[in-house]
Amino acid sequence: SSDLIFIIDAEEKIKMMDNLMKDIRKVLITREQLQKRVAEMGQEITRDYQGRDVVLVGILKGAMPFLCDLMRCIDLSVTLDTMVVSSYGDNTVSSGSINIKKDLDKDIRGKHVIVVEDIIDTGITMDSLVPLLKKRGAASVELAICLNKKERRERDVFVKYIGFDIPDEFIVGYGCDYAEKYRNLPEVGVLKPEVYVRG
Ligand code: IMP
Ligand code: MG
């Protein structure tokens, strides 16, 4: 019917994300590429964790889009939990420690934990978080990270599931923010320089 056509047209229009895309200089990874790779990662996890008690731990807020897509591609009865963490991100003091702003809701003793994160950069955050979760008695702790800036790594962190290797550029979208914005952009891109000036 004509109503249906209108809905499809509206969806197509939103898909283009014209307002947000005005601020993007170039797209590095498209919506379609993300969906395809995330589905593959879900299949890998499904294969690797048969018969195990899995907890997906999403690191808020960045992991939200990736977590939502990934969990729906995992054909196991996983449970979900979330954390809000920030690394002190400073090499001079207390490097290797993290600030937990919101902790897990449930005990992870004996569980197979998969930490789900949007991007790994220096690796400092994950390098501190993984041992902490192991110390709490998890049966195993692995990482599923959508974007990997491997050139920037300062800590030797093993990432079992990597979505994409990306160059050393500041990116936004698919959970990644600039000043808390652009997380809802469905593609991964690089901002135009004037956006930073505008602040
Ligand atoms: P690291 O691996 O401890 O250096 O920290 C990774 C965190 O830095 C991520 O969770 C992001 O919040 C942030 N981050 C690193 N690179 C980018 C980027 O290019 N865009 C947006 N956020 C980034
Ligand atoms: Mg983050």
Side-chain angles (χ1 to χ4, degrees):
S1 72
S2 61
D3 281 359
L4 185 62
I5 290 164
F6 177 76
I7 291 165
I8 292 167
D9 282 351
E11 278 181 2
E12 286 303 318
K13 214 164 161 41
I14 287 164
K15 257 190 201 162
M16 291 160 69
M17 288 262 154
D18 284 335
N19 292 327
L20 284 176
M21 287 305 271
K22 275 192 200 98
D23 291 344
I24 301 297
R25 182 164 63 81
K26 67 176 173 192
V27 171
L28 288 183
I29 309 169
T30 66
R31 184 200 286 259
E32 288 75 20
Q33 288 171 315
L34 286 163
Q35 298 312 311
K36 183 169 177 284
R37 180 67 193 122
V38 171
E40 287 170 0
M41 294 171 85
Q43 283 172 4
E44 286 171 41
I45 291 170
T46 302
R47 197 180 347 96
D48 294 349
Y49 284 85
Q50 292 290 328
R52 293 197 197 160
D53 218 349
V54 177
V55 185
L56 298 177
V57 172
I59 307 303
L60 300 178
K61 298 171 284 244
M64 286 172 73
F66 177 48
L67 176 66
C68 290
D69 288 342
L70 181 68
M71 69 181 184
R72 290 176 297 168
C73 296
I74 299 173
D75 186 18
L76 301 168
S77 58
V78 301
T79 62
L80 276 189
D81 212 333
T82 58
M83 290 180 94
V84 178
V85 301
S86 59
S87 72
Y88 292 111
D90 179 328
N91 299 336
T92 56
V93 273
S94 67
S95 62
S97 46
I98 42 166
N99 183 13
I100 298 177
K101 292 190 196 147
K102 182 226 167 272
D103 211 332
L104 297 171
D105 295 330
K106 291 260 163 67
D107 203 318
I108 52 167
R109 228 166 304 168
K111 310 272 181 175
H112 292 274
V113 171
I114 304 176
V115 176
V116 180
E117 180 55 316
D118 52 353
I119 185 167
I120 183 164
D121 185 38
T122 63
I124 290 171
T125 313
M126 290 304 124
D127 189 45
S128 313
L129 184 62
V130 171
L132 185 120
L133 297 179
K134 282 183 178 161
K135 228 168 68 188
R136 290 181 181 182
S140 68
V141 180
E142 297 291 355
L143 300 175
I145 302 184
C146 189
L147 306 170
N148 179 30
K149 264 193 206 175
K150 61 179 173 191
E151 290 161 49
R152 296 250 314 161
R153 198 77 86 255
E154 288 174 26
R155 299 293 148 80
D156 187 21
V157 187
F158 174 68
V159 185
K160 189 162 187 191
Y161 306 99
I162 290 175
F164 299 87
D165 289 326
I166 57 167
D168 179 14
E169 278 186 278
F170 191 83
I171 57 87
V172 295
Y174 205 58
C176 293
D177 71 303
Y178 167 61
E180 292 298 327
K181 293 177 183 168
Y182 305 100
R183 292 191 198 276
N184 57 319
L185 187 75
E187 331 222 335
V188 173
V190 180
L191 285 172
K192 291 177 182 169
E194 58 261 36
V195 178
Y196 298 105
V197 180
R198 220 192 295 148

